[in-house]
């Protein structure tokens, strides 16, 4: 008879054993890991997409048609993110990567919170091992829609009219947030790095993603193809759940420290 999902404690213990035994780990994260930092997810209740359809704003056609509205949304998100800090889920992943040395963090998020967690947890040391592969770009960077030059994004963008939107100092074309929009290809170098690392991992730890957006949602499958296992941490079932050896229901902020922190942590 189906006993239903294993008791969280038993599943958590099995997941901890798998992580501790793993030589190489790839973590793939989505908006759910930043939810406890106060950043709305995309598809959950009160999500970012709630009042819009993704294609309406996070798409090049939208920027062509109405750059002011697109910038209004991104400027609002930049301000929201600037007021947020990493949560215990980001911190635990950063500590694992800094301690374990063979962990790669791949994130779909553009909020930069994994990088901030890496810097804080490194405590003045080298944060590099915990700096994530950002497959969908970074909201805090600007990209020129004309010549492609990148620059740090401003937090005081005047979005009242197209005339006040930020322009490139090199070619005067409109700047855009340096993120990958729907219908845009992910950077080949970044994407192949993510798939290559997942294809060498013993464990792919997937946290806080609905696993609906491709090609990022397929990254964990590279671990399976290589004979590794998928461990999922999420609030709900996703299309990845059936591929996961262990799927833990609960919040990343609570489960990741319980799953990843070393036994000897104070
Ligand atoms: C491409 C950056 C090809 C921007 C993002 C049909 C029509 C049109 C397109 C397609 C189609 N079918 C497939 C596609 C391709 C499309 C796609 O996958 N669409 C989906 C929606 C069907 N993909 C693309 O367009 C990609 N490009 O395919 O290009 C190509 C090739 C060559 C040449 C030209 C083109 C580009 C996709 C990238 C889009 N950009 N973001 C921005 O942020 O503004 S995607 C966006 O969604 C974010 O990056 C986000 O991370 C990502 C995925 O969402 P999630 O992170 O999973 O967030 P979500 O809210 O969905 O889920 C949160 C989960 O967390 C939930 O499960 C929830 O239960 C859980 N949770 C909540 N709280 C917690 C928690 N879990 C743990 N703890 C908690 N506390
Ligand atoms: Zn330019």
């Amino acid at each position: 008879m189906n006993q239903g999902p294993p008791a969280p404690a038993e599943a958590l213990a099995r997941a901890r054993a798998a992580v501790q035994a793993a030589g190489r780990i790839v973590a793939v994260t989505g908006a759910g890991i930043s939810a406890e930092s106060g950043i709305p997810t995309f598809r959950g209740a009160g999500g970012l997409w709630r009042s819009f359809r993704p294609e309406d704003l996070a798409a090049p056609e939208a920027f062509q048609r109405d750059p002011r509205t697109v910038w209004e949304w991104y400027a609002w998100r930049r301000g929201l993110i600037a007021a947020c800090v990493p949560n215990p889920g980001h911190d635990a992943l950063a500590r694992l990567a800094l301690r374990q040395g063979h962990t790669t963090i791949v994130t779909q998020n553009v909020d930069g919170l994994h990088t901030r967690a890496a810097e804080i947890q490194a405590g003045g040391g080298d944060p590099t091992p915990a700096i994530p592969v950002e497959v969908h770009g970074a909201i805090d960077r600007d990209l020129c829609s004309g010549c492609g030059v990148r620059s740090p994004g401003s937090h005081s963008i005047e979005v009242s009219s197209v005339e006040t939107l930020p322009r490139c100092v090199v070619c005067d074309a409109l700047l855009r947030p340096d993120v990958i929009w729907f219908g845009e290809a992910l950077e080949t170098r970044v994407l192949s790095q993510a798939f290559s690392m997942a294809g060498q991992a013993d464990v792919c730890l997937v946290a806080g993603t609905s696993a609906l957006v491709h090609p990022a949602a397929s990254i964990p499958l590279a671990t399976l193809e290589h004979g590794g296992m998928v461990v999922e941490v999420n609030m709900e079932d996703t299309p990845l759940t059936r591929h996961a050896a262990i799927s833990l229901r609960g919040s990343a902020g609570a489960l990741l420290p319980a799953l990843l922190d070393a036994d000897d942590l104070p």
Side-chain angles (χ1 to χ4, degrees):
M1 186 184 74
N2 180 356
Q3 304 288 335
E10 184 273 334
L12 182 59
R14 271 193 304 126
R16 261 186 82 82
V19 166
Q20 285 168 358
R24 292 174 178 276
I25 298 169
V26 167
V28 176
T29 67
I33 198 170
S34 294
E36 289 157 278
S37 294
I39 300 175
T41 62
F42 286 84
R43 293 167 184 84
L48 282 172
W49 301 127
R50 263 281 159 278
S51 22
F52 319 96
R53 284 182 331 110
E55 298 71 21
D56 291 348
L57 286 177
E61 301 77 18
F63 189 70
Q64 286 288 346
R65 186 180 61 247
D66 183 0
R68 196 204 64 73
T69 301
V70 171
W71 260 119
E72 187 175 24
W73 187 50
Y74 279 94
W76 169 73
R77 286 173 65 193
R78 269 189 188 166
L80 177 86
I81 289 166
C84 297
V85 296
N87 66 61
H90 298 106
D91 297 343
L93 268 180
R95 285 194 293 272
L96 174 75
L98 291 167
R99 177 178 77 240
Q100 199 256 21
H102 296 295
T103 297
T104 304
I105 299 170
V106 174
T107 189
Q108 300 171 86
N109 300 341
V110 297
D111 58 33
L113 289 185
H114 281 299
T115 299
R116 283 160 63 189
E119 289 157 355
I120 294 165
Q121 296 304 318
D126 178 10
T128 308
I131 299 290
V133 177
E134 294 175 316
V135 294
H136 291 160
I139 199 168
D140 244 359
R141 250 192 339 258
D142 286 345
L143 171 69
C144 174
S145 60
C147 67
V149 80
R150 286 182 163 87
S151 51
S154 154
H155 280 262
S156 55
I157 295 174
E158 179 44 64
V159 295
S160 54
S161 82
V162 178
E163 287 66 44
T164 60
L165 296 180
R167 290 188 170 273
C168 176
V169 291
V170 175
C171 74
D172 198 42
L174 274 177
L175 297 184
R176 53 170 280 184
D178 188 13
V179 299
I180 306 288
W181 281 331
F182 285 99
E184 292 185 321
L186 280 66
E187 279 199 42
T188 312
R189 180 189 54 78
V190 171
L191 195 60
S192 42
Q193 184 191 2
F195 272 97
S196 158
M197 298 310 286
Q200 300 168 51
D202 303 306
V203 169
C204 183
L205 173 61
V206 185
T209 181
S210 58
L212 293 173
V213 174
H214 288 274
S218 311
I219 293 171
L221 304 184
T223 301
L224 292 180
E225 280 152 28
H226 148 76
M229 75 152 68
V230 170
V231 173
E232 182 182 46
V233 170
N234 209 50
M235 299 290 269
E236 61 187 0
D237 282 12
T238 72
L240 215 52
T241 302
R242 65 192 176 86
H243 299 291
I246 306 166
S247 192
L248 302 172
R249 287 293 157 272
S251 79
L255 283 176
L256 290 179
L259 180 58
L260 302 177
D261 278 345
D263 295 327
D264 56 356
L265 267 191

